[in-house]
Amino acid sequence: MSGEMLAQLPKEEVDRETEKWKHVLILYVVGSLPTIGTFERFIASNWNYIAKPKVFYHNDGCIFVRFNSIMDHDEVLYSGPHMLNNRPVIVKVWEAGFDFNKEVLRMIPLWIKLPNLPLNCWSTTSLSCIGSVLGRPVYADECTTKID
């Protein structure tokens, strides 16, 4: 025996916990480490249009926000950009394989505005083409996505 010990977790338990956390967003602030109280005040004042979510603080400075529904989760996810004390709040969708130690800020998602963009350039294809000049397009706001 090599001295390594492994625990075998029941698949049903892992699946149950994965389901419990599926409405979670992970938040952190670029260049800052706000307290959980600061985040709770931020959420209360900026996301008052959804049911109050549960907030969990991780020692690495990340905040988990567990929403009551996928609708609330998506409403917050797609309503950015979010700022806290003039610093961008990075919002990421939680996934079962999320690794805190590998979560290094290599990319910052940005919301861009395209003022005076002609209506005939509002198709998903055109917007994707314009956005890809800056990087990989991820989301569009609700108004834009309903155009097609």
Side-chain angles (χ1 to χ4, degrees):
M1 187 169 189
S2 67
E4 281 187 28
M5 299 175 78
L6 299 174
Q8 180 85 24
L9 301 178
K11 181 180 180 333
E12 300 80 26
E13 173 70 10
V14 173
D15 291 346
R16 186 173 41 253
E17 288 299 304
T18 299
E19 183 69 20
K20 182 170 104 177
W21 294 98
K22 74 178 182 179
H23 298 147
V24 167
L25 291 177
I26 301 165
L27 282 64
Y28 56 94
V29 178
V30 176
S32 182
L33 198 62
T35 65
I36 193 166
T38 302
F39 265 110
E40 286 175 338
R41 287 187 296 280
F42 167 79
I43 290 168
S45 65
N46 291 281
W47 300 344
N48 54 8
Y49 51 88
I50 61 165
K52 183 179 178 183
K54 292 188 178 174
V55 180
F56 304 91
Y57 186 80
H58 188 274
N59 290 339
D60 291 335
C62 293
I63 297 288
F64 294 127
V65 181
R66 187 166 68 197
F67 296 88
N68 297 307
S69 71
I70 195 67
M71 286 176 36
D72 286 351
H73 171 279
D74 289 350
E75 183 71 30
V76 168
L77 179 63
Y78 300 126
S79 68
H82 304 289
M83 302 290 284
L84 176 62
N85 298 329
N86 293 323
R87 295 182 182 272
V89 176
I90 305 302
V91 179
K92 293 187 164 252
V93 174
W94 176 82
E95 296 173 339
F98 183 81
D99 185 344
F100 297 100
N101 297 321
K102 291 182 181 177
E103 181 58 32
V104 176
L105 189 59
R106 288 186 270 252
M107 290 189 301
I108 297 176
L110 298 173
W111 282 92
I112 62 167
K113 293 183 180 181
L114 303 170
N116 302 317
L117 185 68
L119 286 175
N120 59 343
C121 297
W122 280 29
S123 72
T124 303
T125 303
S126 294
L127 291 172
S128 182
C129 183
I130 294 167
S132 65
V133 171
L134 300 170
R136 182 175 53 93
V138 181
Y139 305 112
D141 65 13
E142 182 180 10
C143 178
T144 304
T145 58
K146 289 184 176 180
I147 294 295
D148 283 342

